[in-house]
Amino acid sequence: MSSIPTVTLNDGAQIPQLGFGVWQVPDAEATPAVRAAIEAGYRSIDTAAIYENEAGTGAAITEALAGGVAREDLYVTTKLWNSGTRDWSGEQGRDAVLREFDASLAKLGLDQLDLYLIHWPRPMHGDSYLNIWKAFEQLKADGKVKSIGVSNFGTEQLTRLLDEASVAPALNQVELHPYFPQTELRAFHAEHGIATEAWSPLGQGKELLAEPALVKIAEKHGRTVAQVVLRWHLQSGVIAIPKSVTPSRIRENLDVAGFELDAEDLAAIAAVATGKRIGPDPQEFDWN
Ligand SMILES: NC(=O)c1ccc[n+]([C@@H]2O[C@H](COP(=O)([O-])OP(=O)(O)OC[C@H]3O[C@@H](n4cnc5c(N)ncnc54)[C@H](OP(=O)(O)O)[C@@H]3O)[C@@H](O)[C@H]2O)c1
């Protein structure tokens, strides 16, 4: 949609700055949710192998393409579940990545993906993400995916990639909202040409949306708190992927043009930061 701004990645590709996330949406519900999102005007969808809804998401994408939406106007992201149950080292690790990628692409019903991400760095298992990244570079060289990036990476892992890999990550998708604004990581990204994408951009729809300082700003602009928070992401140059299965909220979250947060608003939003995460610390997180 022309009203959604885009961010140009370091490989020249463009990603819509506002997308639609589907974590915790069961497979069968992903189809109506993604359908509602595309009908509302979203053109970017964020899923992951571990969400177990790539097929349901893909069904809505297939439907949209059959209904006349052009493939080049849709932006689809999924993520490799680099779980702890598998050895990601060596040739067999790289082959496993290629197989996982093909399985995701088939479930999505696509022949090319826009963005593939390593879901977690798992640094307690050494630098297996470097080996995984080699397979990502191969997928990109083969034209199976347009852009490759990471999720939940810290500066240490990003530095290793920047120093040792051939292709720099296009983007790092991390927890980011007014309570946890990731100021230092964002500065590192900016310095190294890595785009910042926010997960849980609405703070998972909990206390953040009732935060008095944000309610005041929302009243001032005649908007909802969710719209103010998404506006803040956009004005910060961050890509945001809010999730909702509620059609009215799906539309509300896209309707964030036509107002501007001023310096006073931005200062008030900066003041609500607690530095506390909602999700796990990626440097310690090791699910199977
Ligand atoms: N890479 C990672 O490790 C990672 C981790 C977490 C998330 N993500 C991605 O980021 C996406 C978004 O994060 P998230 O799902 O954790 O949280 P979120 O988008 O911050 O919040 C979603 C929650 O907020 C509610 N909500 C949405 N819009 C609202 C509105 N306008 N007013 C009031 N409530 C609203 C939703 O409820 P309803 O659905 O009931 O409307 C849902 O409970 C995920 O779906 C996923 O794609 C990635």
Side-chain angles (χ1 to χ4, degrees), residues 20-25 45-48 51 79 81 117-120 151-152 173-175 177 198-206 209 224-227 230 241-250 252-253 278 285:
F20 184 71
V22 295
W23 180 42
Q24 292 178 318
V25 181
I45 313 292
D46 180 88
T47 183
Y51 301 169
K79 312 179 193 88
W81 188 242
L117 305 179
I118 302 180
H119 209 141
W120 294 89
S151 179
N152 299 304
Q173 183 186 112
V174 293
E175 176 175 352
H177 41 74
W199 62 253
S200 297
L202 300 173
Q204 298 186 2
K206 297 175 190 158
L209 299 187
T224 66
V225 175
Q227 289 173 324
L230 292 170
I241 45 170
K243 169 264 179 188
S244 177
V245 292
T246 314
S248 60
R249 289 174 172 174
I250 290 173
E252 173 188 328
N253 294 345
I278 298 173
F285 184 66

Side-chain angles (χ1 to χ4, degrees), residues 7 18 29 39 126 137 148 206 226 241 272 274 284:
V7 167
L18 203 51
E29 287 168 42
E39 277 171 12
E137 289 176 334
I148 52 177
K206 297 175 190 158
I241 45 170
V272 309
T274 60
E284 293 164 7

Side-chain angles (χ1 to χ4, degrees), residues 127-131 133-134 137 156-169:
D127 55 12
S128 68
Y129 57 88
L130 290 175
N131 195 52
W133 191 252
K134 286 189 184 140
E137 289 176 334
E156 201 177 314
Q157 294 94 41
L158 291 172
T159 301
R160 289 288 303 276
L161 277 180
L162 291 167
D163 287 350
E164 297 176 41
S166 310
V167 179

